Amino acid sequence: MKTTNRNRASNPIRDFIKVSGVKVLTAGAFEKIENGYLIVTLPVQLELHGFKNQVPRYMQIPKHYVFDGASIPKILQHFLGKKDSPEFLLAACVHDFLYWNFDMDRRMADETFYHLLRASGVSNWKAATFYLGVRSFGAFFKS
């Protein structure tokens, strides 16, 4: 007989792992600061899968990490949304952190970004547009 825990609420951000290779352990919290930047007020913890040695890697984005939100040109913000829209924050924070502070292939960082957007409720067409943007222009920002 199969039993389930009905008291545990499903969290789509925390529960997706099979497709993306990422499991969000804690989604963190973010706060706006000056000049359009955001700061992590509760750490983000992730479990990353899909590496060649098949061993998951754990990553934590610390409290006080500063990022600029989703990089959306002003002219497109009317169609795609504001750079600090709540549904973009986790994906943008993780993507920026992966680009600047984590030893990861850029394509894997971009795919993680796409899957976090989808798990956050962003429509497929919008997440795909963001993905094409980071694939096309992200190399200009990755050192």
Side-chain angles (χ1 to χ4, degrees), residues 2 7 135:
K2 191 175 186 179
N7 294 331
R135 289 304 303 149

Side-chain angles (χ1 to χ4, degrees), residues 12-69:
I13 293 175
R14 187 171 289 161
D15 293 341
F16 84 111
I17 187 171
K18 298 247 185 223
V19 175
S20 68
V22 177
K23 182 176 184 179
V24 178
L25 303 173
T26 57
F30 314 97
E31 186 177 301
K32 292 180 191 178
I33 57 175
E34 70 276 350
N35 297 327
Y37 286 90
L38 297 114
I39 189 167
V40 175
T41 56
L42 289 174
V44 176
Q45 296 175 326
L46 303 169
E47 183 178 300
L48 304 170
H49 296 261
F51 294 93
K52 290 180 182 172
N53 63 6
Q54 299 301 314
V55 176
R57 293 170 70 180
Y58 296 90
M59 179 184 93
Q60 178 169 307
I61 302 173
K63 185 175 179 180
H64 305 298
Y65 176 73
V66 176
F67 65 107
D68 65 353

Side-chain angles (χ1 to χ4, degrees), residues 98-116:
L98 291 174
Y99 261 41
W100 297 108
N101 302 297
F102 205 73
D103 183 26
M104 177 183 275
D105 175 80
R106 190 172 72 82
R107 173 177 234 105
M108 193 169 184
D110 294 346
E111 289 175 3
T112 298
F113 177 63
Y114 170 82
H115 290 294
L116 284 170

